[in-house]
Amino acid sequence: VESFEELNKTLSEHFTEDHLYRIDHYLGKEMAQNLMILRFSNTWFERVWNSDNIKMVILTFKEPFGTEGRGGYFDKYGII
């Protein structure tokens, strides 16, 4: 949360809101599911997206409510 707020502040200093593209986490679902395809089908990504270069990946679920029926999706990917 703290890093998002810092990033958001920096972006706001350099861009107006109409120049930023924000995406809902659910709308980004297909893109996230295709990360493995992107990694292995692009030789540049394949070389840098590995355990030698990436220490960890952190996904933040920031909503003021529960999964409300979406638990099956999150269980499938090991989030809950």
Side-chain angles (χ1 to χ4, degrees):
V1 175
E2 194 174 300
S3 62
F4 163 76
E5 290 171 353
E6 181 179 335
L7 176 61
N8 193 49
K9 181 179 181 240
T10 301
L11 289 171
S12 297
E13 291 171 357
H14 298 283
F15 302 98
T16 60
E17 190 64 31
D18 61 320
H19 288 106
L20 298 173
Y21 181 70
R22 300 179 189 268
I23 187 165
D24 180 89
H25 72 281
Y26 190 80
L27 296 175
K29 174 183 159 185
E30 185 175 343
M31 181 182 73
Q33 290 175 327
N34 290 326
L35 285 176
M36 293 295 285
I37 295 168
L38 175 65
R39 177 187 174 207
F40 291 110
S41 65
N42 183 308
T43 56
W44 186 83
F45 282 127
E46 200 281 326
R47 282 183 272 147
V48 296
W49 281 13
N50 59 48
S51 60
D52 295 329
N53 297 302
I54 298 174
K55 182 177 180 179
M56 75 175 74
V57 175
I58 299 173
L59 302 174
T60 302
F61 185 77
K62 184 181 178 185
E63 291 187 357
F65 50 85
T67 57
E68 298 176 359
R70 298 178 286 163
Y73 167 79
F74 293 103
D75 286 339
K76 180 178 177 183
Y77 295 98
I79 297 172
I80 295 179

